[in-house]
Amino acid sequence: MSQRTHSKLGRLQEEVLLGRLTRRDVLKRGAALGLSAPVIAGLLAACGDDDPVATVAPETAATATSGPGDEPTATTEAAPTTAPGDPTNTPAPAPTTPPADPTATTDPGEPRGGGGLLRLLWWQAPTILNPHLAQGTKDFDASCLVYESLANIDVDGNLHASLAAEVPSLENGGVAADGMSVTWNLREGVTWHDGEPFTSADVSFTYDYNIDTDTTSTTIAAFESITSIDTPDDLTVVFNFGEPNPAWFTPFVGALGMILPKHLFEDFIGTAARDAPINLAPVGTGPYKVREFRAGDVVVYDINENYWDPGKPFFDEVEMKGGGDATSAARAALQSGEVDFSWNLQVEAQVLEQLATGGVGTLNPVPSPNVERILVNFADPWTEVDGARSEPTTQHPFLQFKEVRQALTYAIDRDTVATQLYGATGVSTTNVLAAPAAFASPNTTATFDLDQAAQMLEDAGWTGSPRSKDGVSMSILYQTSTNPVRQKNQEIVKQALESIGVPVEIKAIDAAVYFSSDAGNPDTASHFYADWEMFTNGPSSTFPISYMAAYISINPDVDIAQKSNDWAGSNVYRWVNQDYNDLYTQALTELDPDRQAELFIGMNDLVVNEVVEIPIVHRASVVAYANDLQNVEPSGWDSNIWQLKEWTR
């Protein structure tokens, strides 16, 4: 394939990932480029039907952290609505329910169950079933069959009421005209799995639980916009904001918004949170109850016979098996039929295309905002302070220097990684915030140029091989989770860096360890006891304020991952920048869409230009499922199994 065709394919992939093209558009343009049938099939799978997929942009109703990527999701947020922009600065209404509502209540006469066993395969195994102490999407997904939010987000960004009776809006009076509060009316007749009634007190308690800094909640950013909660009765909850809030829809929506039972958690708030037995044996309101949980291995669920939605769910049992690798997970769903659904198929392009011809399952690259990136450690991972490393009181021996960080970016061959390893499921990117389109920066650029990288290091005084200066020698420990695509990505980077005199040690950590919330394990991504590490993350809203909270240092003791907060802070880079904090603070209350775009682009540009992260590939959320499964509608903004209660066979 010519370089020109590569470039055109990249643009085509980007438009598909952002949901801008119909199937007809893809067929026409793919044929014109001379693409192979498997490549075109992969692109078509991301398009849905022949109607144009709604462009994800803040001016339109949209979206989920994300959805969550396959990695730490503490920085993702709930689904958005149309951004306010009228002259009175009032919030716009929430998205209307789409004509074909995948969460429409079943006829009360239909019996629930009868579907037997549903087999799910997550090659990154869940390690905890409390979503507010989770460190990865695997944990959120395992939790979402048990716990529920007020609303969820579909692939097109529409909000669907779950524990709420309806989605608030200006029209129904739920959203205050001044943007200072939002009222949610709760669904009647909902009970917890133990028979206790679900009420507004549970919503209020979940806020208290998360906002208590001693809880060390990984989802705290999704709740910080609330200043107080009123519960005038059991079925009404009012969120009050200190200022007009353009993201009123963030708290208690989507993957980060799952609500906890007050009567079972109230003795485990604050410093006692991580000792709660219920973290491993959850009791929720959802369609399934946990029968068995072996952390790092499997979760087995039984149907909730008293679920509030009549006639649902269809499957009597669900098994979420964890472990293995992405390639075997893809094979199990696409060829052997051993499982019904496989998640996060980060598999080399050629291998995935071959597996997709198996005839047993359907491959679906779900459009998503997720980006595979390299994280840069600003702290010293080799100096111990009070029994911990990478503490924010230290500085990295050579990555503290901006000229070094910038030089190293010229050794990252994004295009090779994207085309050879991801194919139709990803495109190279220079932004950490790659979607929505209106917030994607046009200002960032990248060049793969080893001569330029070497010259910049020379100019900065880093000479020799290995390069050194003032007694400090460069050597990079580059870690990520165990996955063939990631290890090949590491090898591409390693080869380039070592050619310019920078030794690289590659470290691959089992995903169950790397993305765990175990404060005692030094190999977790949040400990970041390395110079560089790599994973995928992305926003779960077209107003991605919680996602961008990953880089703040406004309250360093809470925001920055460190020993004192059990490494729960979302800023794992240990980066401190007041200009970034100022932009973030302004974005919290900005109601004008044009100004919002300026602020988010400004935040992205600071992160990229200061080389806090090195974005590599804008990825689709690739899943596969059995051909006989029906009503499967994964979302790149929420959990891929957000509406599993609707699935049938």
Side-chain angles (χ1 to χ4, degrees):
M1 188 182 294
S2 70
Q3 184 62 39
R4 182 177 180 183
T5 302
H6 267 305
S7 177
K8 289 184 177 180
L9 173 59
R11 288 195 296 271
L12 177 60
Q13 291 169 329
E14 182 78 20
E15 291 185 76
V16 169
L17 288 171
L18 290 174
R20 293 173 174 169
L21 300 180
T22 66
R23 294 170 62 86
R24 192 176 297 107
D25 293 333
V26 172
L27 284 169
K28 185 183 299 182
R29 291 172 60 174
L33 287 173
L35 301 181
S36 67
V39 172
I40 293 177
L43 292 168
L44 287 173
C47 289
D49 57 29
D50 278 335
D51 293 328
V53 179
T55 300
V56 182
E59 298 86 6
T60 61
T63 110
T65 129
S66 62
D70 63 320
E71 325 304 4
T73 50
T75 59
T76 56
E77 57 281 332
T81 61
T82 308
D86 64 27
T88 60
N89 282 337
T90 56
T96 56
T97 303
D101 184 0
T103 61
T105 302
T106 307
D107 184 333
E110 292 184 26
R112 72 176 87 248
L117 174 66
L118 178 70
R119 301 160 302 169
L120 312 176
L121 181 55
W122 261 237
W123 59 272
Q124 293 178 10
T127 55
I128 193 170
L129 297 181
N130 180 340
H132 303 295
L133 300 181
Q135 284 288 352
T137 303
K138 58 190 174 50
D139 303 321
F140 286 94
D141 290 345
S143 299
C144 79
L145 299 185
V146 178
Y147 294 118
E148 297 179 295
S149 307
L150 294 178
N152 290 95
I153 314 103
D154 67 19
V155 69
D156 295 323
N158 299 298
L159 295 182
H160 298 268
S162 182
L163 290 178
E166 61 180 347
V167 175
S169 66
L170 282 172
E171 287 77 9
N172 64 26
V175 178
D178 61 4
M180 295 290 287
S181 67
V182 58
T183 300
W184 291 83
N185 297 313
L186 306 183
R187 192 178 294 276
E188 294 186 42
V190 178
T191 60
W192 296 99
H193 292 162
D194 61 3
E196 290 294 314
F198 163 72
T199 72
S200 58
D202 297 304
V203 181
S204 181
F205 169 78
T206 302
Y207 167 75
D208 292 337
Y209 177 92
N210 280 281
I211 211 70
D212 186 328
T213 56
D214 288 335
T215 298
T216 62
S217 166
T218 55
T219 60
I220 187 173
F223 302 92
E224 288 182 316
S225 61
I226 298 175
T227 55
S228 65
I229 291 182
D230 298 325
T231 54
D233 57 57
D234 284 351
L235 296 177
T236 307
V237 59
V238 182
F239 302 155
N240 301 304
F241 310 114
E243 299 182 70
N245 185 7
W248 60 264
F249 42 79
T250 296
F252 295 98
V253 172
L256 303 189
M258 288 180 254
I259 299 167
L260 304 176
K262 176 182 178 180
H263 65 287
L264 296 176
F265 271 97
E266 58 187 341
D267 291 333
F268 297 98
I269 191 172
T271 56
R274 292 180 181 266
D275 299 324
I278 197 173
N279 291 338
L280 304 179
V283 174
T285 59
Y288 290 96
K289 302 180 289 185
V290 171
R291 181 203 313 166
E292 178 185 6
F293 175 42
R294 296 198 300 269
D297 183 12
V298 68
V299 192
V300 182
Y301 307 83
D302 290 322
I303 194 170
N304 177 9
E305 294 289 357
N306 298 312
Y307 187 51
W308 56 263
D309 199 347
K312 298 173 184 175
F314 171 72
F315 292 98
D316 303 293
E317 302 172 85
V318 176
E319 178 188 82
M320 179 181 284
K321 180 65 177 173
D325 57 74
T327 303
S328 61
R331 184 177 294 110
L334 294 170
Q335 285 194 336
S336 69
E338 298 171 62
V339 300
D340 299 301
F341 184 96
S342 290
W343 160 89
N344 185 28
L345 301 182
Q346 190 176 17
V347 178
E348 193 170 355
Q350 292 182 343
V351 176
L352 193 60
E353 288 176 12
Q354 182 180 7
L355 292 174
T357 64
V360 173
T362 299
L363 182 68
N364 187 357
V366 184
S368 91
N370 297 335
V371 173
E372 180 89 340
R373 76 283 301 279
I374 294 171
L375 288 72
V376 176
N377 198 343
F378 281 68
D380 187 347
W382 312 115
T383 297
E384 189 171 294
V385 177
D386 190 26
R389 292 181 278 141
S390 290
E391 285 292 281
T393 55
T394 65
Q395 287 188 307
H396 194 281
F398 58 88
L399 292 176
Q400 64 175 293
F401 303 111
K402 182 177 178 180
E403 61 269 22
V404 170
R405 302 193 303 272
Q406 289 178 325
L408 297 178
T409 65
Y410 283 89
I412 309 300
D413 190 355
R414 294 170 172 82
D415 289 340
T416 293
V417 171
T419 56
Q420 290 187 7
L421 303 185
Y422 288 88
T425 67
V427 293
S428 63
T429 184
T430 56
N431 289 322
V432 296
L433 182 57
F439 289 173
S441 174
N443 307 321
T444 59
T445 59
T447 303
F448 175 57
D449 189 334
L450 292 175
D451 291 338
Q452 176 73 2
Q455 188 60 55
M456 290 177 70
L457 291 175
E458 290 282 342
D459 293 344
W462 295 87
T463 59
S465 183
R467 292 186 178 271
S468 62
K469 179 181 180 180
D470 299 332
V472 176
S473 293
M474 281 191 184
S475 180
I476 291 177
L477 175 60
Y478 177 14
Q479 70 181 23
T480 189
S481 62
T482 302
N483 173 280
V485 171
R486 290 204 162 120
Q487 271 67 80
K488 289 186 178 182
N489 189 337
Q490 286 177 306
E491 288 291 350
I492 290 171
V493 173
K494 173 184 171 74
Q495 183 177 358
L497 286 174
E498 292 191 336
S499 73
I500 60 170
V502 182
V504 176
E505 178 186 351
I506 287 174
K507 184 176 182 179
I509 304 169
D510 182 83
V513 173
Y514 190 50
F515 300 120
S516 81
S517 55
D518 183 359
N521 195 317
D523 281 333
T524 69
S526 57
H527 278 72
F528 199 175
Y529 286 178
D531 305 290
W532 279 1
E533 68 180 9
M534 183 169 65
F535 56 70
T536 288
N537 206 353
S540 54
S541 167
T542 54
F543 194 83
I545 192 66
S546 295
Y547 172 67
M548 301 308 285
Y551 312 100
I552 61 173
S553 53
I554 298 170
N555 183 352
D557 291 342
V558 174
D559 299 332
I560 299 176
Q562 55 196 291
K563 181 182 178 180
S564 62
N565 61 27
D566 289 328
W567 293 274
S570 58
N571 183 343
V572 301
Y573 325 87
R574 286 74 170 180
W575 177 58
V576 176
N577 186 286
Q578 188 56 47
D579 290 338
Y580 185 92
N581 292 341
D582 291 343
L583 291 171
Y584 175 87
T585 302
Q586 293 175 58
L588 285 171
T589 58
E590 181 55 60
L591 299 178
D592 178 72
D594 292 336
R595 179 58 180 156
Q596 288 172 356
E598 292 177 8
L599 292 169
F600 280 103
I601 288 171
M603 284 186 276
N604 174 89
D605 291 354
L606 265 177
V607 171
V608 172
N609 294 333
E610 292 294 318
V611 199
V612 183
E613 285 188 337
I614 305 173
I616 304 173
V617 176
H618 178 196
R619 293 177 53 194
S621 178
V622 184
V623 299
Y625 41 87
N627 289 334
D628 62 354
L629 275 188
Q630 297 177 318
N631 304 327
V632 181
E633 297 187 6
S635 172
W637 301 96
D638 204 329
S639 168
N640 281 156
I641 54 173
W642 70 279
Q643 45 75 266
L644 184 142
K645 68 174 184 175
E646 310 291 336
W647 295 11
T648 61
R649 197 188 297 282

